Amino acid sequence: VCVAADRHYSIKKDEEAQGSHSLKVASLGILRVGMEDWVYYFLSITLCLTLSLVFSSLRECKAAGSPFLPPGPTSLTAFGPLLLLAWTSVNIESVVRVARSWYGPVFTLYLLPSFPVVFVADRAVAHRVLVQLGSAFANRPPANLATRIFSSDQHNITSAAYGPLWRTLRQNLTGRALHPSSIPRYAAARRRAASGLVDGITRQMRSGQGVVVIEGLLHDAVFHVIACMCFGQGLDDASIAAVTSLQRQFLKEVVGFQVFGSSPKVSKLLFWRRYQRMLSMRRRQEEVFIPLIRACRARRNTAGKSFEMDCYVDSLISLRIPEQGGSSRHLTDGEIVALCTELLSGPVDSTVNMLQWAMANLVTRPDIQAKLRAEINNVPDGQVQLGSGRRSTCRISGRWSWSR
């Protein structure tokens, strides 16, 4: 399974980079990327087995003096490097499901002997840990190499240590950019996204294929709104397309970059092509985002005292973060890039999944579907209110229907 997964990962990355679907290029990709991966995993497995034999007599003494961790496979086994392969190359959810059936809802997996990861796979336990005992689990471990690069040395909400910096960044996001009073500010973006969604569905209906694939259209509509919330209402279609393409590539690549989380000096040598891709991805983020950030700063300087905050970047430009010694400073462009990436990466997939779940329930509940159709038919002249007190016209065909 691991060999097949690694070959699939290698072929996929080479096809995306070179734009070629020939069998010859795919085979070269397997030899180039697969070889460096498997050399690393062979050495890791050999080292783990050797340590397991040498220190087997010392395990009990070591366990007696070590901090308590939930059950799971021991650290000195060959299982860890294989988990690291699954984590960085394929979906690890299937591995987590198997481990949950073996060890229960809370368990520890060693991706490497010095890298234990505790998984919580039960909603009741997760609620107790994150809500009831939130202060005890509020801090975060030191970030790995990939996280430090993409977070500008842990200057975003998801990676910053629990303290003044984390509180300042989180308060800015929840109290200014995402505050309920800011909802009317993004009404124009919601109207454009809704119109684009309806137009996309109409085009697919008229194509004669008989099937409307809604997932991509929903993703584009939601990302359009999030991008405008991040960079402002003045984004043109070309800028939104560039940000969308970059974010999709980043989300595909970022899991593979976690291989640098353990022994970065060694992994950078073994996975040097992947390391170069990671640095290139970071440079590309700065090339796309920094001009948009500077445009927001120029708009702010032009408006002067009459300026009104229009987006998340506007709040970050004026934000001052605490420093050691009681001083404070403004965020750098690189740190704003990290915070923008965090906002663009977070809500899109979860919102699209929620919308698809609602549509699936409409399919399975004809009574709710009938009520929704009645509400749509009662809207005069196809006018739909989108949350700002204004109405926008969307053509809604009475012949549309949901089907299994």
Side-chain angles (χ1 to χ4, degrees):
V1 172
C2 292
V3 172
D6 192 63
R7 291 186 176 180
H8 172 73
Y9 174 84
S10 304
I11 294 173
K12 181 178 178 181
K13 295 304 177 186
D14 287 335
E15 288 180 350
E16 290 180 354
Q18 300 177 9
S20 174
H21 299 279
S22 65
L23 181 61
K24 181 178 179 180
V25 174
S27 300
L28 290 175
I30 294 174
L31 294 175
R32 186 173 64 251
V33 181
M35 181 61 69
E36 64 180 19
D37 286 359
W38 282 107
V39 168
Y40 172 75
Y41 296 122
F42 174 77
L43 294 176
S44 299
I45 292 172
T46 304
L47 177 62
C48 289
L49 291 176
T50 303
L51 292 175
S52 179
L53 295 175
V54 173
F55 298 105
S56 59
S57 60
L58 301 177
R59 286 183 184 178
E60 295 182 358
C61 297
K62 181 180 178 181
S66 62
F68 174 77
L69 289 175
T74 58
S75 60
L76 299 178
T77 63
F79 191 48
L82 297 180
L83 286 175
L84 184 62
L85 170 63
W87 186 32
T88 58
S89 302
V90 297
N91 194 348
I92 198 175
E93 291 181 2
S94 57
V95 178
V96 172
R97 292 193 189 99
V98 173
R100 186 185 189 280
S101 64
W102 290 351
Y103 301 106
V106 183
F107 52 89
T108 303
L109 297 180
Y110 287 85
L111 302 183
L112 282 177
S114 60
F115 189 24
V117 178
V118 177
F119 287 85
V120 178
D122 182 82
R123 58 184 179 182
V125 179
H127 180 270
R128 185 167 182 267
V129 169
L130 298 178
V131 179
Q132 298 177 356
L133 301 175
S135 59
F137 293 91
N139 209 348
R140 294 172 176 84
N144 59 35
L145 176 63
T147 302
R148 290 200 305 271
I149 289 177
F150 287 107
S151 65
S152 289
D153 198 16
Q154 295 184 263
H155 279 78
N156 63 3
I157 299 173
T158 55
S159 65
Y162 184 68
L165 175 61
W166 179 84
R167 285 192 292 268
T168 301
L169 296 176
R170 187 178 185 277
Q171 184 178 6
N172 177 76
L173 177 64
T174 59
R176 301 181 68 182
L178 300 183
H179 194 270
S181 62
S182 65
I183 293 178
R185 187 186 307 147
Y186 311 118
R190 294 196 298 273
R191 287 195 297 271
R192 291 195 301 270
S195 298
L197 177 62
V198 173
D199 293 341
I201 294 175
T202 303
R203 286 195 301 270
Q204 290 197 25
M205 289 180 60
R206 294 175 178 174
S207 64
Q209 297 180 357
V211 177
V212 175
V213 181
I214 197 68
E215 181 178 3
L217 299 175
L218 285 175
H219 190 280
D220 292 341
V222 173
F223 194 87
H224 180 97
V225 177
I226 301 300
C228 291
M229 291 174 62
C230 185
F231 297 106
Q233 304 285 346
L235 279 182
D236 55 11
D237 293 339
S239 298
I240 293 177
V243 174
T244 303
S245 176
L246 177 61
Q247 277 300 113
R248 286 178 175 173
Q249 184 181 1
F250 170 73
L251 294 176
K252 289 179 181 179
E253 298 272 1
V254 68
V255 176
F257 297 151
Q258 299 305 315
V259 73
F260 302 108
S262 181
S263 303
K265 293 182 179 180
V266 177
S267 57
K268 283 194 295 185
L269 295 176
L270 294 174
F271 301 101
W272 61 272
R273 291 187 180 89
R274 195 178 303 184
Y275 179 69
Q276 294 299 322
R277 287 204 307 270
M278 181 174 66
L279 298 180
S280 176
M281 176 68 65
R282 176 60 181 179
R283 288 193 297 267
R284 179 59 179 161
Q285 287 180 338
E286 295 178 348
E287 291 172 358
V288 173
F289 291 167
I290 287 180
L292 301 177
I293 295 170
R294 290 175 177 172
C296 293
R297 186 178 286 113
R299 185 174 64 246
R300 181 187 184 90
N301 295 335
T302 302
K305 295 182 179 180
S306 61
F307 174 79
E308 294 184 1
M309 191 183 75
D310 182 54
C311 59
Y312 183 46
V313 170
D314 290 337
S315 69
L316 295 176
I317 291 175
S318 61
L319 182 67
R320 298 187 68 89
I321 60 175
E323 290 272 89
Q324 293 182 354
S327 61
S328 63
R329 64 173 178 85
H330 288 290
L331 292 165
T332 65
D333 285 348
E335 292 166 349
I336 297 179
V337 168
L339 289 163
C340 291
T341 302
E342 180 182 50
L343 177 65
L344 295 171
S345 303
V348 177
D349 288 337
S350 58
T351 305
V352 171
N353 292 338
M354 180 189 66
L355 293 173
Q356 292 185 88
W357 182 255
M359 295 173 63
N361 279 275
L362 288 175
V363 173
T364 58
R365 295 289 300 275
D367 55 329
I368 300 179
Q369 185 181 148
K371 292 179 181 179
L372 177 61
R373 181 181 293 277
E375 291 183 9
I376 294 175
N377 292 334
N378 290 333
V379 176
D381 299 328
Q383 291 183 344
V384 181
Q385 187 169 352
L386 295 177
S388 64
R390 302 174 58 185
R391 291 181 179 271
S392 63
T393 302
C394 296
R395 297 182 179 274
I396 302 176
S397 173
R399 296 188 299 273
W400 290 13
S401 62
W402 306 91
S403 62
R404 293 183 182 274

